[in-house]
Each structure stands twice: as C-alpha cells, then as structure tokens.
Amino acid sequence: MSKRYFEDLELGETLEMGTYTVSKAEIMDFAEQYDPQPFHVDSEAAAQSSFGKLIASGLHTMAITQRLSVDGLYNDAHGLGSPGLGETEFRKPVYPGDELTVTLEPVRKRPESRPNAGLVELESRTRN
Amino acid sequence: MSKRYFEDLELGETLEMGTYTVSKAEIMDFAEQYDPQPFHVDSEAAAQSSFGKLIASGLHTMAITQRLSVDGLYNDAHGLGSPGLGETEFRKPVYPGDELTVTLEPVRKRPESRPNAGLVELESRTRN
C-alpha cells in the first residue's frame, strides 16, 4: 500500500487500529516509571481503593492507543507530527488482562500555513 | 508533612514539581514501545524531518510530567484518580538531554457527587 496523504483521509470514516492486551506486569512497569500512584503499582492498596483492583495509568492507556495508531495509520501516512491533543476522558478503568480496541475517525481537516501540509483532527476511541 | 486534601489546594497558586532530564536512550525506549514514528526512534530519519533531530514522543513528555506531578503532589494528597485531561498543546519539541520543569496550578475546584470528594482541575506546564 502506498503511504497516505492528507487528501486520502475521509471525514467520518472509521479506521480500525486493532487490539492490544495489557498485562499486569506491563501496567506495573509503566506506572513504576511514570505514574507511581498506589492504585497503579500496589495491588493491596488498589484493592482498598474505589477501583477494587490495580488499574492502568490513564497515560498508559493513551500510550497503548498511540502505539496501535502508529502501527495502524501514522507510519503508513506522511505525518509531520502532532501539535497536541484535544480533551481526553478516562471513562472506565483499564484492568490487567483487558483487551483494548482502538478506532480513529477524521473529524476535521484544514490546510496548514506551511506549504504542502495539512492538519487532520482525529477522534480516537479506546474500547475495552 | 501531612497529606493534602481538596481544601488544601489554593486556586492560582503555583506548585513546583521539580525537574527531569530526559536522555536519548529513554526517548528511544519509550518510543520503540509506544510511539515508533521515525522522528522518535530513528536518528537519521529525524535529521531529515522538520525537527532536525530526534524528539521525544508527546506522550513521553506527558508521562514525565505525570511522574514529576505524582512525586511532587499526587502521592502527597488524598487523590482518588483522574477523570481525564483537558487540551494538551505540544508547543516545542523535546530533544535528548533537555531538562524539563513542571509546574501545576489549581484553576478550578468543585465538589463531586460522591460524598467527601471534590474535583480539582490543575493547569500543568512543562518547560524546557
């Protein structure tokens, strides 16, 4: 498949990015390095929390979402990087063993000030 | 210091979360796992990109911001987790060896539906 350009992404289409199963070991590894709150790194403390057991850092879920999106789209496109992220909601906890499925939907496109560049705003959903 | 509650965070105060120096090895490790776009994992490809050299994944910068915030505040507070993130802007690239400094500012507070719980919205800045 030839790499995709700005023009090739259609507003409203749903792009399937595949699935990723997150293990307890990976949840703890990520959290020990980047988000060592008790409910992410300590099973006993997590059992006492409102979540009932260990949950993945929200940033870890975002990182997994990014990985699937890179493999599924960004590395097959002529991407120039991202200027940021819109609002992110953590609607449900992610527990060890959960299988995450990511979809992307182009929701807005506009030309950029740089020549031959455009901005595509993607709505990303990560389902459990 | 006793742990901080909702009541202890003042609107408009600037909370210093400290600094973190990010190495090229860490940038590549994170990106190989979660964001393997060429300008995050491949020095030669990055040199050809508009960034001129390897840059950290935006999610990596967010993860470092989280780590400093956990060490500097969240693990010294009675936190119950976060419902999400507001808009995030990646204003400048983060290069290997950069020293990142994080500040948090409580910008909004409101009681939650759960008893004895409140939501504090924090504005986070990561400077280079």
Side-chain angles (χ1 to χ4, degrees), chain B residues 104-115:
Chain B
L104 294 177
E105 181 190 329
V107 292
R108 204 166 308 160
K109 293 171 71 171
R110 58 180 169 77
E112 261 212 331
S113 47
R114 286 184 278 185

Side-chain angles (χ1 to χ4, degrees), chain B residues 8-97:
Chain B
D8 302 320
L9 292 169
E10 279 176 43
L11 294 182
E13 69 176 328
T14 297
L15 304 163
E16 308 283 348
M17 296 294 112
T19 64
Y20 190 113
T21 300
V22 59
S23 69
K24 182 171 173 180
E26 188 185 331
I27 286 176
M28 294 183 74
D29 280 351
F30 184 96
E32 274 158 17
Q33 196 167 359
Y34 296 114
D35 195 354
Q37 298 185 84
F39 41 82
H40 297 318
V41 293
D42 176 344
S43 296
E44 285 180 33
Q48 306 299 318
S49 77
S50 63
F51 303 113
K53 52 183 173 167
L54 213 64
I55 61 165
S57 167
L59 279 163
H60 189 192
T61 304
M62 293 170 76
I64 290 168
T65 300
Q66 180 70 2
R67 175 59 194 251
L68 288 173
S69 303
V70 168
D71 290 346
L73 176 65
Y74 305 155
N75 274 353
D76 286 319
H78 293 272
L80 300 168
S82 160
L85 300 175
E87 231 168 276
T88 304
E89 290 174 43
F90 302 139
R91 295 192 183 171
K92 287 187 182 168
V94 173
Y95 295 107

